[in-house]
Amino acid sequence: MADLTGGQLVARTLRQAGVRHVFTLCGGHILPIYDGCLTEGVGIIDVRHEQAAAHAGDAYARLTRGVGVAIVVPGPGVTDAVTGVANAYAARSSLLLIGGAAPLGLRGLGALQETEQLALLRPITKGAWSVAETRQIPEVLATAIRTALSGRPGPVFVEIPVDLLMTTIEDRLAPIPTGYVHRTRAAVDAEALGRLDALLAGAERPVMMAGGGVYWDDAAKSLASFAERAGVPVFMNGAGRGALATDHPNAFFQTRGWALGHADVVLVLGTPLDFRLGYGRPPTFAEDAQVAMIDVDPVELGRNRPLELGLAGDIDVILRQLTAALPQGRGARASAWRAELSRREAEARAKLDELAATDQSPVSHYRWASEIARVVTRDTIVVGDGGDVVNCAAKFVPVDRPGQWLDPGPLGCLGVGPPFAVAAKLLRPDQRVLYFGETRTVATALPTTRYDLMVEALGGRGAFITDPREIGPALARALASDEVWCLNVVLDPAAYRKSGQVSTAI
């Protein structure tokens, strides 16, 4: 037997769950957890704002398909983290936010940093709990982690009063749970599978839309097998990018709007019919299009439009079922459709390359994005932070494997770049992490703010770029070094909108 503090129980439970790092901003209410992390060998990554801790935990969850952890002080620490939690909720990311709390005996008396935290977090999490006794810490955390990872992934919140973290208890009275996460891989019955097969068999202009659910269900290989056998063109968004490599014959990128507007059957995999897909309605979708969806979350089935068929289950399992049921030669039916999309894809690409060829100054978004694309390899993790800039870069940057691309997600939260990049480099130290952002003009103009000098003041390296011919060499210097670089590229604020290709797709 051994005596453990509540802080050690937190760390030991996290370690048992496979967590190797936590992201935090220091404060007195959570110091016992730090002591526990040191004892249990859990790395502590400190940030300068709690929102960054939540964003980093979000990225950690996405890249591991496990749980990412942020630990913050109560009151302002928790409220600062709210935006990061909301972003993780929209992105289906299994973030665990642990918040400190005032001592139990002082609750309601106006203790330091005391506020109602559970009510604040419940609308943007899958669950929120407050620990009432030290011995309950492992069980409550295990319940939160199980909730975060089961079904549709999402963030959770646990608050732990500081006196419980400091209390010592025999380890036998607070055992660390094991084997409590069981991810069922739900299949579909033969009747539903037959209906989906029949729907696709009758299609002349089929399209598949692969989103983040394909990534979370680890369905990239099954998607490739099905697409090849069925001959269906595939478009990808969000975390679904990279499910098919850029050079895969069934992967299409530049013609999504036209394809959805002319498709007779659309199979949506693991992405909601939200603003990115025009809510699944005309004119984004063809007026007479038949739409089917596969998603682990049945709540998404039929949201914003009626479906021909909605299947709740594991995307990887269902695609394998569907592929096994397909007859040989099915793909030939849509060959003319694929050829038309390929022709239009080449035309759209040629127009983009023409836009990117300019040497204008200030730099065009397209030239900047094309320069980024030149240095991205399969081993590069790309982090996009912004709106128009992310949309533009997505038209150029090759994404050839799952988990290679990280962007804010459907909440559209700016500021995820640095914490996402920190988490990515922490988990993949041998891979290059390339982070890009944008200059925003909302109520103020900051077109020439010297972010490069700010990074240099913090010990990094910076380059201030106004000539597009300087971008390539600067990228080469940055990526060849082991230092943190900020390439401050001054973009033409009007160039992207002049093209008429502004999109809200992420």
Side-chain angles (χ1 to χ4, degrees):
M1 291 187 297
D3 290 335
L4 302 176
T5 66
Q8 288 176 291
L9 289 174
V10 170
R12 187 166 292 188
T13 304
L14 295 179
R15 178 76 184 186
Q16 176 63 42
V19 175
R20 296 296 178 263
H21 304 87
V22 297
F23 302 91
T24 188
L25 198 158
C26 182
H29 289 83
I30 53 177
L31 288 179
I33 300 179
Y34 297 166
D35 289 335
C37 287
L38 292 174
T39 301
E40 297 296 326
V42 176
I44 300 170
I45 312 299
D46 65 309
V47 299
R48 296 299 88 203
H49 193 282
E50 289 88 355
Q51 182 177 337
H55 285 321
D58 174 0
Y60 195 96
R62 298 191 202 190
L63 291 168
T64 62
R65 294 192 184 94
V67 65
V69 179
I71 303 174
V72 300
V73 298
V78 169
T79 59
D80 278 353
V82 163
T83 297
V85 176
N87 196 66
Y89 187 69
R92 303 186 177 196
S93 183
S94 44
L95 167 69
L96 166 61
L97 178 67
I98 299 176
L104 285 175
L106 298 179
R107 289 217 165 166
L109 300 181
L112 175 66
Q113 298 182 326
E114 181 180 13
T115 190
E116 174 48 61
Q117 300 180 153
L118 297 185
L120 182 67
L121 272 297
R122 281 194 180 108
I124 53 172
T125 60
K126 292 182 69 180
W129 297 263
S130 182
V131 178
E133 296 182 62
T134 298
R135 65 181 179 86
Q136 291 181 347
I137 288 175
E139 186 60 40
V140 173
L141 287 176
T143 298
I145 292 169
R146 181 172 62 252
T147 302
L149 294 173
S150 299
R152 170 180 170 168
V156 290
F157 173 66
V158 174
E159 69 168 19
I160 311 176
V162 61
D163 52 336
L164 302 188
L165 292 174
M166 298 173 67
T167 299
T168 300
I169 189 173
E170 289 185 18
D171 57 1
R172 67 179 181 86
L173 299 177
I176 308 301
T178 61
Y180 54 85
V181 176
H182 302 281
R183 290 174 168 172
T184 56
R185 310 280 287 184
V188 294
D189 59 42
E191 189 272 337
L193 196 66
R195 289 175 61 196
L196 181 56
D197 180 48
L199 183 66
L200 293 168
E204 295 184 354
R205 300 181 304 282
V207 167
M208 279 200 294
M209 192 69 227
V214 172
Y215 174 75
W216 285 101
D217 289 353
D218 200 8
K221 290 182 179 178
S222 297
L223 175 64
S225 297
F226 174 74
E228 292 161 9
R229 188 151 182 181
V232 180
V234 178
F235 295 88
M236 295 159 279
N237 74 351
R241 286 197 173 106
L244 297 185
T246 306
D247 59 357
H248 192 284
N250 291 80
F252 292 82
F253 304 92
Q254 313 298 340
T255 54
R256 189 176 83 183
W258 189 90
L260 289 174
H262 292 79
D264 55 358
V265 171
V266 181
L267 176 57
V268 180
L269 304 174
T271 188
L273 296 177
D274 58 15
F275 73 96
R276 296 171 295 175
L277 294 178
Y279 309 101
R281 301 170 181 172
T284 301
F285 280 47
E287 188 77 41
D288 58 351
Q290 296 178 294
V291 180
M293 288 184 70
I294 305 174
D295 201 291
V296 71
D297 185 1
V299 174
E300 291 295 339
L301 304 178
R303 183 160 74 101
N304 294 332
R305 69 158 296 145
L307 302 175
E308 290 297 316
L309 182 63
L311 302 178
D314 185 276
I315 294 172
D316 179 59
V317 171
I318 296 174
L319 285 178
R320 284 192 276 114
Q321 285 184 286
L322 195 57
T323 302
L326 286 179
Q328 293 289 345
R330 172 68 66 79
R333 181 177 177 86
S335 58
W337 168 244
R338 293 195 305 277
E340 176 65 14
L341 286 181
S342 295
R343 183 183 69 79
R344 291 178 176 272
E345 191 91 358
E347 291 178 352
R349 184 72 213 190
K351 291 179 181 178
L352 285 174
D353 290 341
E354 182 179 349
L355 289 169
T358 176
D359 286 337
Q360 76 167 63
S361 178
V363 179
S364 160
H365 290 62
Y366 297 96
R367 175 62 182 270
W368 167 84
S370 67
E371 294 288 348
I372 292 285
R374 294 182 209 280
V375 301
V376 171
T377 66
R378 184 179 175 85
D379 291 330
T380 305
I381 298 175
V382 183
V383 180
D385 184 355
D388 289 349
V389 161
V390 171
N391 297 332
C392 184
K395 298 177 185 296
F396 288 87
V397 174
V399 182
D400 292 318
R401 59 177 174 81
Q404 186 179 0
W405 172 279
L406 293 173
D407 65 27
L411 189 66
C413 178
L414 305 188
V416 303
F420 273 27
V422 167
K425 192 64 177 177
L426 181 68
L427 286 166
R428 311 282 192 270
D430 297 330
Q431 296 180 5
R432 302 187 306 179
V433 178
L434 185 63
Y435 155 58
F436 56 86
E438 68 174 326
T439 297
R440 303 292 291 178
T441 306
V442 179
T444 185
L446 301 172
T448 56
T449 300
R450 296 300 299 270
Y451 300 112
D452 52 305
L453 297 180
M454 294 169 63
V455 171
E456 288 183 351
L458 294 171
R461 300 286 300 279
F464 185 68
I465 298 172
T466 58
D467 187 330
R469 291 167 292 190
E470 299 171 355
I471 299 174
L475 281 168
R477 290 195 303 272
L479 294 173
S481 78
D482 292 328
E483 298 174 283
V484 176
W485 278 76
C486 171
L487 305 187
N488 190 359
V489 183
V490 180
L491 299 179
D492 180 355
Y496 189 43
R497 298 187 182 278
K498 286 176 183 176
S499 72
Q501 296 193 37
V502 174
S503 168
T504 57
I506 294 178

